[in-house]
Amino acid sequence: MSTMTNTDSTLSDSDSAGAEAGRGRGRGLRLSGMNWLVWRQHRAAYWTMLTATAITVAVFVYQRHEMITYLGGYGYPDLKSGWEAKFDHDPLNVAAMMLGFLPVLIGVFVGAPLLAGDLENGTAKLVNAQSVSRVRWLATKLGVTALVVVVCTTALSAAFTWWWSPVKSSSYFTSWTDGPVFDNSGPVPVALSLLTVVGGVAIGMLLRRTLLSMVVTLGFTVAVQMVWSYFRLSLANVVTVTSHNGVGDNSTPNVPDGAHQLDESYLTASGDLIGWGSCAEATEKARDACLDKAQVVGWSVDYIPISQMSSMQWLGSSILLALTAGIVVFVILWGRKRLV
């Protein structure tokens, strides 16, 4: 009897240990604690971003396959002349335009309500009454949201860059220095989206009203993109090339393929520059007389080579990420004492 009892007891202990180990293994594969709570609370927004990203990446992959199929008929990667005539660039331009709205959408619909909703409906007070500290709650909210944003924007940026790269040197499309290309490739969309989402969180924390925070965040994201577009070209090291062959046909200096030309001026014998419109006279004879009087000997061209694109993007992204880190510190410090 006692033997049976001991055996049963041993089996029971064994089963309990096995079940506990099984549960432990299960927990290792799932979110738990504060991470699970944050995911559960904002799962609709997170799953929407992840699903939309997966669908968009699939479309980009398909469009890239179609583009390579077309370019293959013109000897890609060494393209023959004439390939641009029948190439349909609308899908690429539309995709670039739509991706330009990504930081705005993420900032308004993900960043602004993240804390404003909890502060408006009282959830923040409930969390504050628990054993979890405010700093941990804020850090988890920001961390999980930032992780989802980084995953989505990185995937979209990589897919768009992969799609656009075979034709990046062509002047047939939008210049690589313009927002539709520069801001949607490389690390820039990740950095811009993180800045707008964290800025939206800070705005929501201060205003404590979801709708008002979304409206103000919309203005903030638009302002960020306007300042960024003005600041973008200052990230480059401008290259200047000159010629001393006069100003007739085929006298301008050559610039590399894909380079973005900034300015073009007349070069005088003394090394001074004058605007190319300075001698825009009515007749050719009068124009030549003007050029002779100014002692013009050639051209001076300022440009940015496409080889600088990557370094410009990483430099700009590091500045954006530094601003983002500053806002995160503000959110943590303010929320630690004044959140509720």
Side-chain angles (χ1 to χ4, degrees):
M1 189 75 169
S2 60
T3 303
M4 292 179 63
T5 304
N6 290 337
T7 303
D8 291 342
S9 175
T10 302
L11 289 174
S12 297
D13 292 343
S14 234
D15 290 344
S16 297
E20 200 62 40
R23 286 194 293 270
R25 287 192 296 269
R27 284 197 298 268
L29 299 175
R30 299 179 182 178
L31 293 175
S32 60
M34 185 58 65
N35 293 326
W36 176 87
L37 179 62
V38 171
W39 180 273
R40 179 78 177 175
Q41 184 181 11
H42 303 287
R43 64 188 184 278
Y46 295 155
W47 279 118
T48 299
M49 285 194 291
L50 292 170
T51 303
T53 298
I55 294 173
T56 305
V57 168
V59 172
F60 286 2
V61 171
Y62 171 77
Q63 290 292 343
R64 209 260 186 184
H65 171 73
E66 292 292 302
M67 182 176 70
I68 293 299
T69 301
Y70 171 82
L71 295 178
Y74 289 87
Y76 177 81
D78 298 321
L79 293 172
K80 302 174 184 177
S81 59
W83 68 269
E84 297 173 337
K86 296 182 180 180
F87 183 74
D88 184 11
H89 59 90
D90 286 341
L92 192 60
N93 290 337
V94 171
M97 181 185 66
M98 293 180 63
L99 285 179
F101 292 105
L102 185 62
V104 177
L105 295 175
I106 290 179
V108 172
F109 292 102
V110 178
L114 195 71
L115 290 181
D118 291 340
L119 293 169
E120 186 174 19
N121 59 31
T123 305
K125 293 182 179 180
L126 177 62
V127 173
N128 187 58
Q130 307 304 313
S131 59
V132 178
S133 66
R134 296 178 185 176
V135 172
R136 183 184 173 190
W137 180 58
L138 288 170
T140 305
K141 280 250 188 184
L142 292 171
V144 174
T145 303
L147 178 60
V148 175
V149 170
V150 168
V151 168
C152 293
T153 52
T154 299
L156 291 170
S157 174
F160 179 80
T161 304
W162 184 55
W163 178 13
W164 167 75
S165 58
V167 295
K168 64 181 181 181
S169 297
S170 173
S171 59
Y172 187 60
F173 303 100
T174 302
S175 172
W176 61 269
T177 57
D178 292 338
V181 173
F182 192 92
D183 295 350
N184 295 321
S185 58
V188 176
V190 181
L192 274 175
S193 297
L194 284 175
L195 177 59
T196 57
V197 74
V198 172
V201 171
I203 292 171
M205 181 183 67
L206 296 175
L207 297 182
R208 296 172 174 261
R209 295 291 183 270
T210 302
L211 185 58
L212 177 61
S213 299
M214 293 173 71
V215 173
V216 175
T217 301
L218 176 61
F220 168 75
T221 56
V222 171
V224 165
Q225 290 199 323
M226 290 179 63
V227 173
W228 171 252
S229 64
Y230 177 80
F231 171 75
R232 189 188 299 120
L233 290 182
S234 63
L235 300 170
N237 294 317
V238 179
V239 178
T240 301
V241 60
T242 60
S243 66
H244 297 77
N245 303 320
V247 293
D249 295 338
N250 301 320
S251 61
T252 55
N254 294 325
V255 298
D257 292 339
H260 177 70
Q261 186 169 314
L262 296 173
D263 194 15
E264 188 177 66
S265 305
Y266 288 132
L267 177 66
T268 66
S270 61
D272 295 331
L273 300 179
I274 61 174
W276 61 268
S278 301
C279 291
E281 305 296 340
T283 63
E284 184 176 353
K285 185 176 180 180
R287 173 178 172 272
D288 292 340
C290 176
L291 294 173
D292 291 338
K293 182 179 180 181
Q295 296 183 329
V296 173
V297 297
W299 294 96
S300 175
V301 177
D302 295 334
Y303 70 93
I304 305 173
I306 194 173
S307 58
Q308 291 191 21
M309 180 178 182
S310 180
S311 60
M312 290 171 61
Q313 288 180 320
W314 281 105
L315 176 60
S317 297
S318 64
I319 295 172
L320 294 174
L321 290 175
L323 294 174
T324 302
I327 298 176
V328 169
V329 171
F330 167 75
V331 170
I332 296 296
L333 294 178
W334 179 280
R336 185 176 60 178
K337 295 182 178 180
R338 308 181 187 181
L339 187 62
V340 179

